Amino acid sequence: LKNYYSLFPNPCSSNSRVTISEPEQGMGNGEEVVWSIYSMTGGLFLEGTSNIIDCDGLSNGSYVVWITSATKVSRLPLHIIN
């Protein structure tokens, strides 16, 4: 699975925001993204449709972020540290 997106900053604190971006030039075509954050055991924590993820309420630990658009799917790690 190719990662078309990146998360920054990562790791981050639970009171910060993470930006979803497309690091490769020429890939962005204004597609809306949908993201979901899962625990390492598969429990769904958050979902959204913007390029900003508000990490408020996430506990310390590692998560998996699925990011989808009309033409791309990525799975990325997200680490929360305080």
Side-chain angles (χ1 to χ4, degrees):
L1 182 65
K2 180 176 179 176
N3 285 325
Y4 294 99
Y5 299 96
S6 64
L7 301 174
F8 183 81
N10 191 12
C12 71
S13 65
S14 62
N15 62 354
S16 65
R17 294 182 172 162
V18 173
T19 301
I20 299 170
S21 62
E22 294 179 87
E24 293 184 21
Q25 293 293 335
M27 289 183 57
N29 60 4
E31 291 180 326
E32 179 178 303
V33 297
V34 177
W35 53 263
S36 302
I37 299 178
Y38 293 89
S39 69
M40 297 306 281
T41 59
L44 178 63
F45 275 83
L46 294 172
E47 293 180 294
T49 57
S50 71
N51 67 336
I52 301 291
I53 299 173
D54 187 349
C55 297
D56 188 38
L58 292 177
S59 300
N60 284 353
S62 296
Y63 298 86
V64 176
V65 181
W66 281 93
I67 304 168
T68 59
S69 70
T71 60
K72 298 182 272 298
V73 176
S74 291
R75 182 186 70 193
L76 299 166
L78 175 63
H79 305 287
I80 304 296
I81 57 173
N82 287 318

